[in-house]
Amino acid sequence: YQRRVAITAGGSVQATDRIMKELKEIYKSEGYKTGVYTMSINNDNLYSWDVFLQKVDPDSPLMDDIKKLDPNPQHIHLAISFGPSFPFEPPFVRVVAPHISRGYVMRGGAICMELLTRQGWSSAYSLESLITQISATLVKGKARITFNHKGTPYTFERALCSFNALVESHEAQGWVTPPKEEG
């Protein structure tokens, strides 16, 4: 079994330079300045970010759900992990909390998006555009927060396992673009 994503605590000079550039751009971005999302570096590891998505489409049921979170934190927590081959390979992105149903969120919190695979990723993508696309995908997929979730919490290991399985499935069967009437 070949892992589709390799995550390490450190990486190449090229990856570090690009991540630093992306970090500077995030801090300058409108989305960050206006509170659409915030972010922090996880445990002083430049290769591990926590992103807190605070606003999505204001007319979506997902935004209504975010507002109902008691009382703080009112956000969706995403974890972004960069491998040593970034930006030539995509980062691994998963939902940490709260538990979400639908919205292309898989078991363990993995996100089903071709953009997050080697096949769909381009080194030209910015992290700000990635965060924006994830937000739009959650809304398009009719994501809802599962209040009072009693099941297994999301973990890195479960997310990675789910993500690798979905990549394997899509490599065999291809990716399907939903009809326009579905978003």
Side-chain angles (χ1 to χ4, degrees), residues 31-159:
Y32 183 82
K33 289 179 181 177
T34 60
V36 171
Y37 61 88
T38 61
M39 63 83 52
S40 63
I41 295 172
N42 190 351
N43 296 321
D44 294 325
N45 178 357
L46 185 62
Y47 284 71
S48 179
W49 292 9
D50 289 309
V51 173
F52 306 96
L53 193 56
Q54 299 173 132
K55 298 176 187 172
V56 296
D57 180 340
D59 298 323
S60 70
L62 182 58
M63 189 66 222
D64 293 339
D65 287 353
I66 291 172
K67 291 176 185 174
K68 291 177 190 170
L69 289 169
D70 179 33
N72 282 312
Q74 290 187 322
H75 62 246
I76 296 170
H77 179 185
L78 305 173
I80 302 178
S81 303
F82 302 93
S85 298
F86 181 79
F88 302 106
E89 292 191 2
F92 178 62
V93 183
R94 68 184 183 95
V95 174
V96 175
H99 189 273
I100 294 178
S101 61
R102 298 189 304 269
Y104 304 103
V105 177
M106 312 298 287
R107 282 193 335 248
I111 302 171
C112 181
M113 289 176 62
E114 186 176 17
L115 174 69
L116 296 174
T117 68
R118 290 178 183 159
Q119 176 184 343
W121 178 254
S122 167
S123 62
Y125 292 141
S126 73
L127 271 291
E128 181 184 16
S129 65
L130 175 63
I131 293 166
T132 301
Q133 186 61 46
I134 289 170
S135 173
T137 297
L138 291 172
V139 170
K140 177 182 173 183
K142 299 176 176 50
R144 297 301 303 265
I145 292 173
T146 309
F147 294 95
N148 302 316
H149 176 69
K150 303 284 190 248
T152 307
Y154 291 146
T155 64
F156 175 85
E157 292 77 17
R158 288 185 70 221

Side-chain angles (χ1 to χ4, degrees), residues 1-12:
Y1 179 74
Q2 178 184 7
R3 291 179 73 160
R4 303 286 181 219
V5 175
I7 305 299
T8 62
S12 67

Side-chain angles (χ1 to χ4, degrees), residues 155-171:
T155 64
F156 175 85
E157 292 77 17
R158 288 185 70 221
L160 188 60
C161 184
S162 289
F163 182 78
N164 288 337
L166 80 89
V167 167
E168 192 173 297
S169 172
H170 284 297
E171 283 177 351

